[in-house]
Amino acid sequence: MAEFSGPEQVLEAARQAYAKGYRQMDAYSPFPVDGLAEAIGFRRTRLPLFVLVGGIVGALSGFFLQYYAAVISYPLNVGGRPFNSWPSFIPITFEATVLLAALCAVVGMLMRNGLPRPYHPVFNVQRFERVTRDKFFLCIEATDPLFDEKKTLKFLESLSPANVTTVDP
Amino acid sequence: MKRENTVDTVETAPLIGHGQTYGTITDKITADVLERKTPRGMLVGLAIAFVLTMVLFISIGWLMIKGVGIWGINIPVAWGFAIINLVWWIGIGHAGTLISAILLLLNQHWRNSINRFAEAMTLFAVGCAALFPLLHLGRPWVFYWIIPLPDTMALWPQFRSPLTWDVFAITTYFTVSFMFWFVGLVPDLATMRDTAKKKWMKIVYGVLAMGWRGSARHWHRYEMAYLLLAGLATPLVISVHSVISFDFSVSVLPGWHATIFPPYFVAGAIYSGFAMVLCLVIPVRKVYGLQDFVTDRHMDYMAKVMLATGLIVAYGYAMEAFFAWYSGNEFEKYMMFNRTQGPYGFIYWGLLLTNIAIPQLLWIGRIRKNMVWLFLISITINIGMWLERFVIVVTSLHRDFLPSSWDMYYPTIWDWATYIGTIGLFLCLMFLFIRLMPMISIFELRQLLPWRGK
């Protein structure tokens, strides 16, 4: 794992590592860095699709709840007006849509990120504490087919980092 | 010429003070929570707020024992303070969502240093607001009857009623605001975890941070989720105050039954919300010396938003008066006459003074830069927006179609105690938030620092 002191350096290092053929790696930064996820080979997230499905399910269930109550379970004849008075069901349908979509966005983000996760090997590195302050890290994982402890260490050192460490599992 | 110059400096002034780096930003904001001794003024403020919170609990307790008869409400004015305060608090909450969601979508980076604070304000204000309709139920302990649950009575809530829409709108709003606020906090909680020296603090912040480690993949999904949440919260915030306005406009009462209500309520909500943000930010920024992060430029922008929304509200008042006359309807006309010259007329004129006349001072650039003036004007607007809701709720109800059913409404001591109590609760929560959590979003401030390739 290599440490860098600026977003430009870690971005450059990530690009070089990707060009070298490394795939199983991760970069860490104190704030979102534009292009860093793409540089380590992360293409796109399916989160928006998940949220869309959540929103559709929310809309349907929100509307059906009211339809069921007003038409099937407890029809109430108010001066011969239709039971399915859909315009007055819209506000709650809308709120249900937003609620479910928002829940899906948060839960989906956490689940796909594998959080909450109390333990992760990178926390073993003492200096890694500063990732939430002002330092940037690039970590090439041992599961990478190209990984070789000596060669990878040498490669990381060639990227002119501030520091290089091995991460204990 | 001179004036143009001052405007120029405001526009080009950086959003972050000179000489700040990733490290210094982090140190300053975390130290305010972790290292710094609680300022004496805050302890005094917390003590006062705590006493007021106890007043709230006492008035709620008395309400549970005696029922809503302890308030000044009766027929025809059945709504009184409870609904005035509900609308007032919800409106205050709206500025937080506007700042965090709408300004995020509009790429207004200056929001980054005030959004956390404003979101917390939203959360607490919505909490205070939600108390009122619950207490106004008369039997608050059966509140779950308004939630669609399968029960042995085989009854459903009336889904065609705006009051039921309210339940859904407010609970959704509270849930989404909470998630938005918490998701925004996670990376900063990780910062707190890594900065804290004491073991128990590390554990508490560590649990809340859920093992956040700033991975690029995580950030990618995080930003996507945050953007989607902002996109969902934006129509939500508009829908919430529109639904609140439906409580009035769906009925057929003169002074309530107006199509202008939803947009005019939303503008009023943002207006009062920004006033409350300024009321809170001005003293906090002074006490904690945050001028480098919440700059004069922020203050200027917020004052301008207030001015703009204030003008929309003024337009709303003008249209209400115009349509009362233009409709030719005698009840509508009488409503306007009663508002301006009836027994509550002084409140209407007070409203015009505090909400329309005095805020026009914000046109002057020097006043927007003077924190004392800005603070006083914000307080005035908060009072004005409360008066507006009083005018809408009480003057429309107390004299409707039949003179035989006319009556006056006078708030009792318990009305005031409950109202002031919620202000205490709100301030209490605000003080605790400032003491325990990073009140400015640290990771979003880091993004404001320039770097090559951006």
Side-chain angles (χ1 to χ4, degrees), chain B residues 195-273:
Chain B
T195 319
K197 299 277 185 303
K198 295 194 182 97
K199 177 128 183 150
W200 67 271
M201 283 187 186
K202 269 189 182 309
I203 292 173
V204 171
Y205 287 120
V207 168
L208 290 173
M210 298 189 291
W212 182 263
R213 54 185 189 276
S215 150
R217 288 186 179 85
H218 291 186
W219 276 124
H220 191 82
R221 288 195 194 98
Y222 179 91
E223 283 203 296
M224 180 57 85
Y226 203 65
L227 196 66
L228 288 170
L229 272 182
L232 290 165
T234 301
L236 176 66
V237 69
I238 291 166
S239 86
V240 170
H241 227 64
S242 300
V243 166
I244 296 263
S245 79
F246 291 159
D247 291 348
F248 301 96
S249 56
V250 168
S251 76
V252 289
L253 210 62
W256 284 7
H257 192 56
T259 45
I260 198 167
F261 260 40
Y264 142 66
F265 263 53
V266 172
I270 292 164
Y271 187 39
S272 65

Side-chain angles (χ1 to χ4, degrees), chain B residues 38-294:
Chain B
T38 318
R40 187 174 294 266
M42 257 190 82
L43 284 178
V44 175
L46 181 64
I48 295 171
F50 187 75
V51 169
L52 291 179
T53 311
M54 290 302 117
V55 170
L56 174 68
F57 289 159
I58 290 168
S59 30
I60 292 178
W62 190 235
L63 181 84
M64 296 279 180
I65 295 168
K66 298 293 275 187
V68 287
I70 63 167
W71 290 346
I73 52 174
N74 209 328
I75 300 300
V77 184
W79 275 11
F81 263 36
I83 306 304
I84 298 170
N85 297 339
L86 156 74
V87 182
W88 190 69
W89 275 121
I90 283 270
I92 285 170
H94 279 19
T97 321
L98 181 97
I99 290 173
S100 49
I102 300 183
L103 295 184
L104 178 81
L105 294 182
L106 296 177
N107 244 335
Q108 297 293 315
H109 291 296
W110 60 275
R111 75 178 260 293
N112 284 11
S113 50
I114 48 173
N115 67 335
R116 169 77 42 76
F117 195 82
E119 281 165 36
M121 184 194 82
T122 294
L123 211 54
F124 304 147
V126 174
C128 287
L131 263 180
F132 282 103
L134 277 182
L135 297 177
H136 191 255
L137 286 175
R139 286 186 284 166
W141 47 92
V142 291
F143 74 94
Y144 58 88
W145 287 5
I146 49 178
I147 302 167
L149 293 170
D151 57 32
T152 50
M153 298 178 292
L155 286 175
W156 290 96
Q158 175 54 279
F159 289 119
R160 298 181 185 97
S161 159
L163 301 180
T164 308
W165 302 348
D166 255 0
V167 178
F168 281 83
I170 295 174
T171 45
T172 301
Y173 186 45
F174 186 82
T175 316
V176 173
S177 302
F178 175 77
M179 289 193 298
F180 204 67
W181 177 74
F182 185 74
V183 166
L185 261 174
V186 165
D188 284 354
L189 288 169
T191 302
M192 301 293 280
R193 169 196 70 201
D194 292 342
T195 319
K197 299 277 185 303
K198 295 194 182 97
K199 177 128 183 150
W200 67 271
M201 283 187 186
K202 269 189 182 309
I203 292 173
V204 171
Y205 287 120
V207 168
L208 290 173
M210 298 189 291
W212 182 263
R213 54 185 189 276
S215 150
R217 288 186 179 85
H218 291 186
W219 276 124
H220 191 82
R221 288 195 194 98
Y222 179 91
E223 283 203 296
M224 180 57 85
Y226 203 65
L227 196 66
L228 288 170
L229 272 182
L232 290 165
T234 301
L236 176 66
V237 69
I238 291 166
S239 86
V240 170
H241 227 64
S242 300
V243 166
I244 296 263
S245 79
F246 291 159
D247 291 348
F248 301 96
S249 56
V250 168
S251 76
V252 289
L253 210 62
W256 284 7
H257 192 56
T259 45
I260 198 167
F261 260 40
Y264 142 66
F265 263 53
V266 172
I270 292 164
Y271 187 39
S272 65
F274 268 84
M276 188 56 107
V277 173
L278 279 173
C279 272
L280 298 171
V281 162
I282 290 171
V284 167
R285 167 178 119 119
K286 177 111 180 119
V287 170
Y288 278 91
L290 296 171
Q291 282 86 345
D292 264 4
F293 307 124
V294 184

Side-chain angles (χ1 to χ4, degrees), chain A residues 7-8 25-33 37-38 40 42 45 47-48 51 65-66 68-70 73-74 83 85 88 91-92 94-95 98-99 101-103 105-106 109-110 112-113 115-117 120 122-123 128-129 132-134, chain B residues 22-23 26-27 148 154-156 158-160 164-165 168-169 172 175-176 179 183 190-191 193-194 202 210-225 228-229 232 235-236 239-240 243 443 446-447 451-452 454:
Chain A
E8 304 91 339
M25 57 180 165
D26 209 342
Y28 302 90
S29 58
F31 58 87
V33 176
E38 287 77 11
I40 59 166
F42 184 76
T45 158
L47 196 62
V51 173
L65 170 74
Q66 300 172 75
Y68 177 78
S73 168
Y74 204 98
F83 295 131
S85 55
S88 48
I92 293 181
F94 174 78
E95 304 299 338
V98 171
L99 181 64
L103 277 170
V106 173
M109 184 270 286
L110 291 177
R112 299 285 296 159
N113 280 352
L115 298 174
R117 178 166 181 172
H120 191 274
V122 288
F123 290 132
F128 190 71
E129 276 196 347
T132 57
R133 187 170 182 274
D134 55 354
Chain B
Y22 302 133
T26 315
D27 293 343
L155 286 175
W156 290 96
Q158 175 54 279
F159 289 119
R160 298 181 185 97
T164 308
W165 302 348
F168 281 83
T172 301
T175 316
V176 173
M179 289 193 298
V183 166
T191 302
R193 169 196 70 201
D194 292 342
K202 269 189 182 309
M210 298 189 291
W212 182 263
R213 54 185 189 276
S215 150
R217 288 186 179 85
H218 291 186
W219 276 124
H220 191 82
R221 288 195 194 98
Y222 179 91
E223 283 203 296
M224 180 57 85
L228 288 170
L229 272 182
L232 290 165
L236 176 66
S239 86
V240 170
V243 166
F443 84 90
R446 293 186 193 118
Q447 282 176 292
W451 54 282
R452 213 156 25 83
K454 200 167 177 186

